[in-house]
Amino acid sequence: MLSDYVHLLAAGSWFGGLLLLPWMLWRERAVTDPAARAAAWKLAKRYSYLASFSIFILTLTGLVNSLVQIP
């Protein structure tokens, strides 16, 4: 049961960030300030770390769930 919740949390954080990232980058694209562009790259980099960790957790919990739920 815990693995199901962790799987759902990882999927929600990955998908939520995936929906938010294009909007944030589109908003930052309109600004010509170099500091804002650096902030956009930092945002994309932070999301890539979150996405990588979420996919790792999704794979791990998916494997655990398949071993537990499939006879």
Side-chain angles (χ1 to χ4, degrees), residues 26-71:
W26 181 264
R27 190 177 60 132
E28 291 294 329
R29 188 181 70 86
V31 178
T32 58
D33 182 27
R37 291 205 181 261
W41 279 108
K42 188 176 180 180
L43 175 71
K45 190 174 182 179
R46 287 177 61 189
Y47 173 70
S48 72
Y49 290 141
L50 172 73
S52 298
F53 183 69
S54 295
I55 295 299
F56 173 74
I57 295 298
L58 283 169
T59 303
L60 188 67
T61 56
L63 179 64
V64 169
N65 287 342
S66 69
L67 293 174
V68 169
Q69 295 176 1
I70 299 174

Side-chain angles (χ1 to χ4, degrees), residues 3-41:
S3 180
D4 288 334
Y5 289 128
V6 172
H7 191 84
L8 183 63
L9 179 66
S13 65
W14 173 78
F15 191 66
L18 189 63
L19 291 176
L20 185 62
L21 183 66
W23 177 74
M24 294 293 290
L25 291 177
W26 181 264
R27 190 177 60 132
E28 291 294 329
R29 188 181 70 86
V31 178
T32 58
D33 182 27
R37 291 205 181 261
W41 279 108

